[in-house]
């Protein structure tokens, strides 16, 4: 299966801990997007990355959240000192190139629960 | 005002019915319009995308875009129980921002 992979699928963290979410894009894709889905709300854009570069982080909260997409390995969304309001489903999407940015394919998501 | 509005439903139809799902939007710069299907506890699955105004058909699915009214639709013909899911509209501008703007989704149930 060459689809977008995310792990873990479920993550439980206590308030104040760190959460690390991983995303491997579809084979041949070099553009990665992270979205957050809160209950009863639509998907909200967080950050757009290419290999070793953050292209657009306009949707990312200014504090505690960071993202990277290293030359080797998966993209990582990191949330430091989690709070209950961070509980949500986090989805990663990938696209083949910047010309087809509208054709984004999503992974199964990581459901983060903060207790 | 949200940039993309979508009736959350829920919408229940009998098997075989024609389903109409709709979104409105406020940003006239949107040029690409997508429909995603999301099953419970799964990631969104891209169904179709359309550029600018017009219609696009793919099997039982037809997407329509009316830019003058800022209104998009997805029609599902001969609906099946397996079509039961949440349908999300998404859209984006032609250049610049690469992120998608999503509606909140319409939950559809097709009753056998």
């Amino acid at each position: 299966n060459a689809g977008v992979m995310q792990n873990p699928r479920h993550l439980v963290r206590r308030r104040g801990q760190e959460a690390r979410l991983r995303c491997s894009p579809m084979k041949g894709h070099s553009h990665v997007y992270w979205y957050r889905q809160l209950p009863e709300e639509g998907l909200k854009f967080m950050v757009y990355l290419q290999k070793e570069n953050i292209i657009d982080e306009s949707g990312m909260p200014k504090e505690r959240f960071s993202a990277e997409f290293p030359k080797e390995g998966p993209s990582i969304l990191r949330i430091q000192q989690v709070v209950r309001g961070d509980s949500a489903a986090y989805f990663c999407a990938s696209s083949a190139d910047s010309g087809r940015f509208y054709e984004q394919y999503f992974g199964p998501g990581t459901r983060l629960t903060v207790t | 005002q949200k940039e993309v509005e979508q009736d959350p439903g829920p919408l229940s139809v009998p098997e075989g019915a024609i389903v109409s799902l709709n979104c409105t939007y406020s940003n006239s710069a949107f040029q690409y319009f997508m429909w995603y299907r999301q099953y419970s506890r799964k990631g969104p699955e891209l169904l179709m995308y359309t550029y600018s105004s017009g219609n696009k058909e793919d099997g039982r699915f037809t997407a329509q875009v009316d830019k003058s009214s800022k209104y998009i639709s997805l029609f599902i013909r001969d609906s099946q129980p397996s079509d039961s899911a949440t349908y999300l509209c998404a859209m984006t501008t032609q250049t610049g921002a690469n992120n998608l703007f999503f509606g909140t989704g319409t939950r559809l149930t097709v009753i056998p």
Side-chain angles (χ1 to χ4, degrees), chain A residues 14 16 18 23-24 31 53 55 63 85 88 94 98 111:
Chain A
R14 290 199 182 100
E18 178 179 288
C23 168
S24 296
H31 299 250
N53 283 305
I55 307 302
E63 297 177 354
S94 70
S98 58
R111 278 158 182 83

Side-chain angles (χ1 to χ4, degrees), chain A residues 9-10 33 35 37 40-43 45 48 56 58 91 98 100-109 111, chain B residues 32 34 36 38 40-44 46 49 88 92-95 97-104 107:
Chain A
R9 295 291 305 277
H10 301 274
Y33 313 80
Y35 292 82
Q37 188 174 41
E40 308 304 323
E41 291 189 22
L43 286 143
F45 167 77
Y48 162 44
D56 179 1
S58 59
F91 290 96
S98 58
R100 299 182 72 87
F101 58 90
Y102 50 87
E103 202 171 343
Q104 295 181 20
Y105 295 88
F106 282 77
R111 278 158 182 83
Chain B
Y32 289 88
M34 281 66 67
Y36 284 82
Q38 186 175 23
S40 181
R41 313 295 281 179
K42 303 289 185 186
L46 179 62
Y49 63 85
L88 307 166
T92 188
T93 59
Q94 184 164 3
T95 59
N98 286 47
N99 53 295
L100 304 182
F101 293 84
F102 280 86
T104 52
R107 187 178 299 177

Side-chain angles (χ1 to χ4, degrees), chain A residues 65-93:
Chain A
F65 285 72
S66 62
E68 62 177 8
F69 190 13
K71 189 175 180 182
E72 300 291 337
S75 174
I76 296 183
L77 180 67
R78 183 181 176 205
I79 311 172
Q80 295 178 291
Q81 299 177 317
V82 296
V83 300
R84 288 227 171 100
D86 296 333
S87 295
Y90 292 82
F91 290 96
C92 165

Side-chain angles (χ1 to χ4, degrees), chain A residues 22-37:
Chain A
R22 296 176 191 78
C23 168
S24 296
M26 193 177 281
K27 189 175 182 180
H29 287 190
S30 57
H31 299 250
V32 166
Y33 313 80
W34 285 93
Y35 292 82
R36 177 165 62 177
Q37 188 174 41

Side-chain angles (χ1 to χ4, degrees), chain B residues 17-21 34-39 45-50 55-64 73-88 108 110:
Chain B
I18 296 175
V19 176
S20 172
L21 303 164
M34 281 66 67
W35 285 96
Y36 284 82
R37 177 173 62 195
Q38 186 175 23
Y39 292 112
E45 172 193 3
L46 179 62
L47 287 174
M48 301 177 69
Y49 63 85
T50 310
N55 294 2
K56 187 173 184 180
E57 187 174 320
D58 184 1
R60 295 185 295 110
F61 298 88
T62 300
Q64 284 186 356
S73 301
L74 178 71
F75 297 95
I76 308 174
R77 290 185 300 282
D78 188 25
S79 55
Q80 304 294 310
S82 58
D83 295 328
S84 298
T86 296
Y87 289 80
L88 307 166
L108 170 69
V110 180

